[in-house]
Amino acid sequence: MSSESRDGDDPGTFARTMYDDYEAYREPSLNHRRFKHDDIMPLVKKFGEHPDIDLIHEGESAEGRDIYRLKMGSGDTSVLLWSQMHGNEPTATMALFDLFHFFTADDVHNDLRSEILENITIHAIPMLNPDGAQRYQRRTAFGIDMNRDALQLQSPGSQILKRVRDDLDADFGFNLHDQSIRYSAGDTPNSTIIAFLAPAYDEERSINPVRERSMKLIARLDEMLQDFIPGHVATFSDTFEPRAFGDNIQKWGTSTILVESGGMKGDPEKQYIRKLNYLLLLESFRSIAGTTYESHTVEQYEDIPPNRFRLHSAIFRNVTMPFKEHEFELDLAVNRSEVNINGATDFYKRGTISEVGDLSTFDGYEEFDASGLRVDSGKVYPDTFATEDDLAAVDPVSLMRDGYTAVRVEELPEGRHTDFPLNLIGPRGRQPAGPKMGRVANLALYRGDEVAYVVINGFVVDVMEPVPDVGNALIFR
Ligand SMILES: [Zn+2]
């Protein structure tokens, strides 16, 4: 690349340019995580018709959904990418379509495109587990974890991945996943937004030239990402898993880079993390094409902090918990997880008490100093309402200020969750409450006789805030 090129040689400058220009390439029809095979097939077909892209039908999932490979470029170095072998890990799939937009555009970045596509050949298999994506679940339709199937090869997706890897004898492999949003980068409160791994290919976690290339490239990507998400990059555990694809593909001679999209406050649908995936993959292509990753070191890779499982949705510090004639001072954590609804096209949240005790080695996405506050069960409002419509007359905040977290309703609406900010309880239902590990988190925290916070289905409400934000409450029949 010429030194006066707008795209520059320095990864920082390059990334900033591509970051600023990203919107032009973003695939607009994918804008939340629960898209399905039906949503991406028109995109696969459309890009497959582009003269610079070859579309190869690789096979079908167990339920007959087509799996395709898209091939671009003519370089000697082959780069294989596969996404969503776990059906509920879709972030990188979105980024792959953004990259197809980038590579099929005709604009100021033409030199960069040529530079990449003359030196490498890109093979991308988006959504390797479409049956899992349909259900928004990790496993295949018949219930196995495809990433423990690299040796038995029972799943059609596994067979495709193994065959394509072997046919290409790919030089580089990108194993694209999402990880729990509860990891942090090292022993810090920073959520891991992106985790990388150069998977081990043996129990001893040896480093051969194949794995060393993965490590060096990851070191470069980490350096680039620090400009955007400083302190939020980690490495995934490198414990050897003999049945996993990453470990085996590394062993079979393809330099493998595991990318895990994690969690970021304020980005529940991971659209910013998708953009980071786009950036890091583009920089990977550029760096592989120019072998610039060679200037990085294994030591730089090893300096990236490890993933630590230490995040909860919220933690109350130093809360007072009465128990019989005692009072204990402790930390209390809640965690909200997603429950699929409407054919796994949508979800609601369910929040439980995820830990009680000394949580000094944990952090919350939200942190509350509860010194001097006493925790108790959320209360059920004594009056019964005939229908959900009658709740229009209720001021939920004034009920919360009195420590109520639920109301009784004679005729409950369908389903298990409600957008009304308090839990709904049927005539024979009971609200789970109390600060017990594992229980749905419905609590009130008192300063003296005054309520300071209520916790409703794990959502924390400061009752003095003018508009409390409760994502959703639950229905108990
Ligand atoms: Zn995964």
Side-chain angles (χ1 to χ4, degrees), residues 313-316 332 334 336 366-370 373-376 378 395-406 418-423 431 441-447 450-474:
S313 298
I315 296 184
F316 289 99
L332 188 152
V334 299
R336 302 183 290 263
E366 302 156 28
E367 288 270 344
F368 299 91
D369 178 4
L373 300 186
R374 177 175 48 84
V375 63
D376 204 343
D395 172 17
V397 179
S398 69
L399 266 54
M400 292 176 194
R401 285 186 182 140
D402 289 331
Y404 296 112
T405 55
T418 173
D419 292 331
F420 190 72
L422 289 95
N423 296 315
Q431 173 182 246
N442 298 309
L443 307 168
L445 284 88
Y446 293 84
R447 179 175 285 110
E450 299 282 301
V451 173
Y453 298 97
V454 289
V455 180
I456 299 176
N457 184 33
F459 289 93
V460 180
V461 179
D462 177 341
V463 299
M464 289 307 150
E465 288 287 318
V467 185
D469 177 24
V470 176
N472 66 266
L474 297 180

Side-chain angles (χ1 to χ4, degrees), residues 73-79 116-121 168-171:
S74 55
D76 290 340
T77 304
S78 53
V79 179
I116 291 174
L117 296 178
E118 284 165 14
N119 283 289
I120 70 173
T121 304
L168 300 174
D169 195 16
D171 297 297

Side-chain angles (χ1 to χ4, degrees), residues 86 89 138 177-178:
H86 293 141
E89 300 180 8
R138 176 182 179 86
H177 290 253
D178 285 65

Side-chain angles (χ1 to χ4, degrees), residues 84-89 138 145 147 175-179 236 258-260:
Q84 228 170 334
M85 72 159 50
H86 293 141
N88 59 352
E89 300 180 8
R138 176 182 179 86
D145 180 343
N147 209 20
N175 188 12
L176 304 171
H177 290 253
D178 285 65
Q179 69 175 15
F236 199 83
L258 171 73
V259 181
E260 296 273 357

